Amino acid sequence: MFFRGNETVTIKRKAIAGVDDYGNETYTTTEIVVSNALLGFGATDEPIDASRNAVDASVTLYLPSGTVILEEDVFEVRGSDFVKDGDPMAWESPFSGWNLGVVVKVRKRDG
């Protein structure tokens, strides 16, 4: 690892646990704790909708190299759950080309 942040992010990953009596898949959630993450705070937004009082927030996560991110992962950041907003990308040094980690944008809506 070439960087060391001071944030801890928990990735909540859904996995098939088995099948119920009717043949439907059942699921469980696995929590993967990722230490040494960095946060890049994004914007907040208030969608225009007279029927709701909502706030959208986005954060960019810089996670250590080797962190695996799957399509339906949920990210717990500072006590709030966020969903992935786009594809994760390799975070590379512009000077050396070294892989520093994984960067992924996440978002949430309150309200």
Side-chain angles (χ1 to χ4, degrees):
M1 176 185 330
F2 295 98
F3 76 93
R4 185 170 177 81
N6 60 355
E7 295 286 342
T8 299
V9 173
T10 301
I11 299 174
K12 298 177 181 179
R13 184 166 292 159
K14 186 169 85 169
I16 297 172
V19 178
D20 67 14
D21 294 338
Y22 302 101
N24 299 314
E25 293 176 339
T26 59
Y27 297 91
T28 186
T29 300
T30 302
E31 293 190 354
I32 303 160
V33 177
V34 180
S35 301
N36 305 321
L38 296 171
L39 303 182
F41 292 98
T44 60
D45 221 3
E46 294 183 16
I48 299 172
D49 185 347
S51 64
R52 321 177 55 155
N53 185 15
V55 175
D56 293 335
S58 65
V59 175
T60 302
L61 301 177
Y62 298 88
L63 305 172
S65 182
T67 303
V68 175
I69 298 175
L70 302 180
E71 190 63 33
E72 294 184 12
D73 286 348
V74 174
F75 303 84
E76 183 179 325
V77 180
R78 295 187 176 180
S80 294
D81 285 347
F82 291 77
V83 295
K84 188 169 66 66
D85 189 12
D87 292 331
M89 304 293 284
W91 177 29
E92 296 180 353
S93 167
F95 306 107
S96 65
W98 289 344
N99 183 347
L100 299 175
V102 178
V103 61
V104 61
K105 186 176 175 185
V106 296
R107 63 181 163 75
K108 72 172 183 164
R109 174 169 281 178
D110 288 330

